Amino acid sequence: MGRFTNISKNITVAFDVVGSRTYPDKNIIRIKLKSICHQLNVKYNKYLAVEFQIKDGDSVIGVLSSFQLGFLVYRDVRKLAWLHDLNLYFGLGFGTLDTGEVIDPDEINGSSVINAFSAINFAKNDELQKYNHVRFFAYDDTGIIPYQAINSLVHVIYNEFSGKTPKQRDLIKVMELNPELTQEEIGEKMGYEKNAKENINKLLSRTNYDLYKDMQKDVFDLLKKLQRILR
């Protein structure tokens, strides 16, 4: 293991509801987060060191068995946040999980857990992500993981290529939530009564959609290779 003994194969995911204190009925938050946890636990069941669970009423924590899955969860959480009408701060924490078989969200501990919540705090202060409904930040306090590079890639994908205008951002949202729709159907859904396909093509060309998709794969591959190096 050598100098990599401060990094485990697991990665902690945590996310926090934006403005949770302003909700008149906190139970609404709990219901929405409970649904998100259930969907994530079903999809990633085979890869969970600790299931996704609600913590402190307005945040969620879970631990996955591989780095790249953390980014896949982020992509899923973006979609689920849209569906549940939530804005979130999302943190990925690299490091260790020091509490063995413990699964209680209030008792699990280790540097990856601490770093995930530190990442949330960094995301809260990142105004460059002001148009992103799920602000992202990854963090590692050991200096081993190049988390700045990961954050830069994700920033470019979801803050530069996901649309700089409300119309472009709406297009990305419709496409992400409805991957089965044709461009004609997407245009109609967005209110284009005439030349729907042509208008969608124009919007897509301005959002660099192909690069938007390719760079997501680049982040996934980077995390996968990082974990391979650390083994």
Side-chain angles (χ1 to χ4, degrees), residues 71 75 153 157 161 208-221:
F71 180 63
R75 296 200 309 181
L153 280 171
I157 295 167
F161 294 148
N208 294 300
Y209 188 71
D210 288 339
L211 192 55
Y212 168 80
K213 299 296 287 186
D214 289 343
M215 286 187 71
Q216 291 180 57
K217 184 177 182 301
D218 291 341
V219 175
F220 181 85
D221 289 342

Side-chain angles (χ1 to χ4, degrees), residues 171-199:
L171 171 61
I172 295 295
K173 178 178 178 179
V174 171
M175 292 181 69
E176 296 273 294
L177 294 179
N178 305 276
E180 75 285 354
L181 295 184
T182 64
Q183 288 191 7
E184 188 78 26
E185 292 169 331
I186 290 169
E188 292 170 358
K189 193 174 183 67
M190 292 184 64
Y192 291 108
E193 297 180 0
K194 296 182 179 180
N195 304 318
K197 184 176 180 180
E198 288 79 1
N199 281 304

Side-chain angles (χ1 to χ4, degrees), residues 8 10 12 49-50 63 95-100 102 108-113:
S8 73
N10 297 322
T12 298
V50 177
V63 184
T96 60
L97 185 64
D98 302 333
T99 41
V102 174
I108 60 172
N109 205 353
S111 60
S112 68
V113 176

Side-chain angles (χ1 to χ4, degrees), residues 7-205:
I7 294 287
S8 73
K9 67 177 181 178
N10 297 322
I11 188 167
T12 298
V13 170
F15 49 92
D16 192 16
V17 176
V18 177
S20 59
R21 294 181 180 178
T22 65
Y23 278 69
D25 184 356
K26 302 298 190 293
N27 194 48
I28 292 175
I29 296 176
R30 185 171 184 83
I31 291 170
K32 291 181 177 184
L33 292 181
K34 188 174 181 180
S35 175
I36 291 174
C37 286
H38 173 72
Q39 292 176 76
L40 293 175
N41 286 333
V42 168
K43 181 170 183 178
Y44 295 98
N45 178 56
K46 295 181 180 179
Y47 310 102
L48 291 169
V50 177
E51 286 192 344
F52 287 96
Q53 303 169 77
I54 298 173
K55 178 178 170 61
D56 300 328
D58 61 354
S59 62
V60 167
I61 187 170
V63 184
L64 294 148
S65 61
S66 67
F67 293 174
Q68 65 265 32
L69 293 177
F71 180 63
L72 294 185
V73 168
Y74 174 67
R75 296 200 309 181
D76 287 336
V77 167
R78 281 174 54 83
K79 296 175 186 177
L80 292 168
W82 273 323
L83 292 172
H84 289 280
D85 193 26
L86 288 172
N87 289 338
L88 302 170
Y89 301 116
F90 184 100
L92 282 185
F94 298 92
T96 60
L97 185 64
D98 302 333
T99 41
E101 300 300 316
V102 174
I103 60 173
D104 187 314
D106 294 319
E107 295 183 11
I108 60 172
N109 205 353
S111 60
S112 68
V113 176
I114 295 169
N115 288 338
F117 284 100
S118 294
I120 286 177
N121 288 329
F122 284 121
K124 288 179 179 180
N125 295 312
D126 187 358
E127 288 305 310
L128 292 175
Q129 298 191 61
K130 62 184 177 180
Y131 294 123
N132 192 351
H133 69 295
V134 182
R135 295 190 186 187
F136 174 97
F137 205 90
Y139 185 63
D140 160 48
D141 64 352
T142 67
I144 295 172
I145 299 294
Y147 68 90
Q148 299 97 329
I150 297 167
N151 290 328
S152 295
L153 280 171
V154 174
H155 171 78
V156 170
I157 295 167
Y158 293 107
N159 297 281
E160 299 295 330
F161 294 148
S162 62
K164 293 186 177 181
T165 69
K167 202 72 172 178
Q168 291 171 358
R169 291 193 289 273
D170 286 345
L171 171 61
I172 295 295
K173 178 178 178 179
V174 171
M175 292 181 69
E176 296 273 294
L177 294 179
N178 305 276
E180 75 285 354
L181 295 184
T182 64
Q183 288 191 7
E184 188 78 26
E185 292 169 331
I186 290 169
E188 292 170 358
K189 193 174 183 67
M190 292 184 64
Y192 291 108
E193 297 180 0
K194 296 182 179 180
N195 304 318
K197 184 176 180 180
E198 288 79 1
N199 281 304
I200 293 304
N201 269 325
K202 288 179 183 177
L203 274 177
L204 276 176
S205 66

